[in-house]
Amino acid sequence: MRSDEMADAMTTAVLHPGQMGAAVAGQLRRAGRTEVIWLPEGRSPATRERAEQAGLRAVDDIGALVAESAVVLSVCPSDAAEEVAEQVAAQGFAGIYVEANPIGPERVRGIAKRLEAGGATVLDGGILGASGAEMRCYLSGPAEEVGLVRGLFDGTGVSAIPLEGEVGTASALKLAFALWQKGARALAAVSYALADRYEVAGRLSAEAGTEAEAETRRTGRSPLSSPEQYVLPAAVRGWRWELEMGEIAEALSAAELPDELPRGVGEVFARWAPLRDRPAGDLGDLGEALALLRTGSRGSADPG
């Protein structure tokens, strides 16, 4: 049977239809290429309502769910990823298990080892984007099974994108993106709270808007879209900013705000001390700057 024919004949289970899981499951069901089932046992009224709205078919227990399913898509809170995988493995699941939770590569590999011992094939999935038509689901793992799961999403509002690399690759992308996307919001919140404490929040917003326009002209829509232009200048000047981050941390602490963020940023700048005042063009690419972060090499800011 061809992969597209197999996809048409499949039943897919979603564990569990929370906000993200229900959005993905609803896309699969509306495309009509696979029946989508779920397990109501132990789930909240809100989850039940989402599953009903998405048109998912309920099954009685985990045994029935595993027996019916060729694919299990795990989309649950990250602290429950191993528990969900163990429940599926305990039923002798030998189909395709897509681990699509926001967990680290090592945890994904541990889950894969447990499920593969029982005959399952595990794919690593990283879901990015807003719930709905803008979602992307990156998939890494065995190419044939990646292609098969990708076929399930044909004609849906979820773009399934294969990634070269072993299980863990998609999760690394997911976490890297989440650190930037969600971490930036936390940083903005703490910055705004400090300005608000001193009644200059409006001025901060105005300055941020002015700087954003200038930064867009320099580096494009996002710093990550042109990292060489954005990161390299910071790497060679970061030694100047380490002490400033310490001052920011003290100001936040005095204002009874979290001070861990600037301390972490200061550590990044400290590790770039060996690049002090080198022309950014001399670095060529990001390799040397990233290597200093990975190895934990640490210099110190010297005011002299």
Side-chain angles (χ1 to χ4, degrees):
M1 183 179 290
R2 300 192 316 269
S3 293
D4 58 344
E5 292 173 336
M6 291 178 67
D8 287 337
M10 280 186 173
T11 294
T12 300
V14 174
L15 296 173
H16 294 282
Q19 289 185 342
M20 183 68 77
V24 174
Q27 291 285 338
L28 286 171
R29 197 204 68 81
R30 283 191 291 274
R33 306 200 71 213
T34 178
E35 185 176 20
V36 186
I37 62 177
W38 76 293
L39 182 63
E41 182 180 0
R43 311 319 300 173
S44 69
T47 298
R48 292 171 181 267
E49 182 178 355
R50 281 190 293 265
E52 291 174 3
Q53 290 176 347
L56 312 188
R57 177 168 64 83
V59 296
D60 292 334
D61 54 48
I62 187 67
L65 180 140
V66 168
E68 284 197 46
S69 301
V71 177
V72 172
L73 177 63
S74 177
V75 188
C76 64
S78 58
D79 60 355
E82 283 86 357
E83 179 183 356
V84 169
E86 181 59 38
Q87 290 172 350
V88 173
Q91 299 298 319
F93 181 65
I96 301 172
Y97 189 92
V98 183
E99 172 50 67
N101 297 300
I103 62 176
E106 292 305 316
R107 287 182 65 190
V108 175
R109 293 181 188 124
I111 287 170
K113 184 176 181 180
R114 171 67 179 95
L115 282 154
E116 287 167 355
T121 299
V122 176
L123 302 184
D124 180 19
I127 301 174
L128 307 182
S131 299
E134 298 179 0
M135 284 190 290
R136 288 89 61 203
C137 181
Y138 288 89
L139 298 166
S140 63
E144 182 177 353
E145 285 79 6
V146 165
L148 196 152
V149 172
R150 182 185 185 186
L152 292 176
F153 287 99
D154 285 349
T156 74
V158 179
S159 297
I161 305 170
L163 283 178
E164 292 185 5
E166 62 184 358
V167 165
T169 304
S171 286
L173 174 61
K174 163 74 176 178
L175 294 189
F177 182 81
L179 175 61
W180 164 252
Q181 181 196 43
K182 298 177 175 71
R185 297 185 185 210
L187 186 60
V190 175
S191 298
Y192 192 88
L194 179 61
D196 183 69
R197 166 66 177 78
Y198 289 95
E199 300 182 350
V200 289
R203 180 55 59 186
L204 174 67
S205 295
E207 284 295 325
T210 299
E211 183 63 22
E213 292 178 5
E215 200 64 66
T216 297
R217 290 193 295 270
R218 286 195 297 266
T219 64
R221 291 185 300 171
S222 165
L224 291 181
S225 66
S226 52
E228 289 83 3
Q229 296 180 50
Y230 194 83
V231 174
L232 288 180
V236 298
R237 295 200 301 266
W239 69 272
R240 302 168 185 250
W241 302 335
E242 180 191 357
L243 298 179
E244 184 179 0
M245 290 300 112
E247 292 296 323
I248 294 169
E250 294 298 325
L252 290 172
S253 180
E256 299 182 331
L257 293 167
D259 63 2
E260 295 84 359
L261 283 170
R263 296 191 190 282
V265 173
E267 171 66 18
V268 170
F269 292 151
R271 293 187 184 193
W272 279 335
L275 305 179
R276 173 176 173 167
D277 285 344
R278 283 174 56 182
D282 286 357
L283 298 181
D285 58 30
L286 288 173
E288 187 175 356
L290 297 183
L292 287 170
L293 298 183
R294 283 194 295 267
T295 60
S297 299
R298 193 184 194 284
S300 61
D302 181 356

